[in-house]
Amino acid sequence: RFLIKGGLAGAAVYVAYDQGLLGSSTEGAEALRKAQETLPPAIEEWTNYLGWEVRAAQLPPAPKFEFSISKSWNKGVHTVMSALSVAPTRACEYTVEGWKYMKDLVK
């Protein structure tokens, strides 16, 4: 079982690397474009092979993604850096509030 699972995981990583999913954002966008072009004919071929009748109107259209990985990454980096820059100030504020609360409880 371990060898089968390891082989499947290795194959999945290899396919992801081979298709450009582990590369830059432009390679990922290209892989997404290829998948959007390839999936509808592949689904139609499999349904014909299996004998299922699927009309084009029954299949939902492929979603359109207006998503930039680099912009999302940069926004995440800015958010984390912003949080880290105010962390010492917030820690001091919360400490002062905590001491005030404790003093009020002791009174």
Side-chain angles (χ1 to χ4, degrees), residues 14-72:
Y14 173 76
V15 168
Y17 176 77
D18 187 51
Q19 295 299 317
L21 296 175
L22 301 178
S24 66
S25 62
T26 55
E27 291 174 348
E30 181 65 23
L32 178 62
R33 186 191 60 75
K34 280 192 236 176
Q36 287 175 338
E37 291 174 356
T38 307
L39 279 176
I43 291 172
E44 183 179 343
E45 180 181 339
W46 272 97
T47 55
N48 290 340
Y49 177 75
L50 295 173
W52 295 341
E53 184 179 335
V54 178
R55 295 188 177 106
Q58 290 176 339
L59 293 175
K64 302 288 182 193
F65 290 108
E66 296 296 327
F67 179 73
S68 172
I69 294 173
S70 62
K71 287 181 183 176
S72 297

Side-chain angles (χ1 to χ4, degrees), residues 71-103:
K71 287 181 183 176
S72 297
W73 175 264
N74 290 340
K75 183 178 179 184
V77 169
H78 286 292
T79 303
V80 168
M81 290 302 144
S82 174
L84 288 175
S85 69
V86 298
T89 306
R90 298 292 168 127
C92 290
E93 291 173 2
Y94 293 146
T95 303
V96 168
E97 288 178 16
W99 279 112
K100 285 181 184 176
Y101 179 76
M102 292 300 291
K103 285 181 184 177

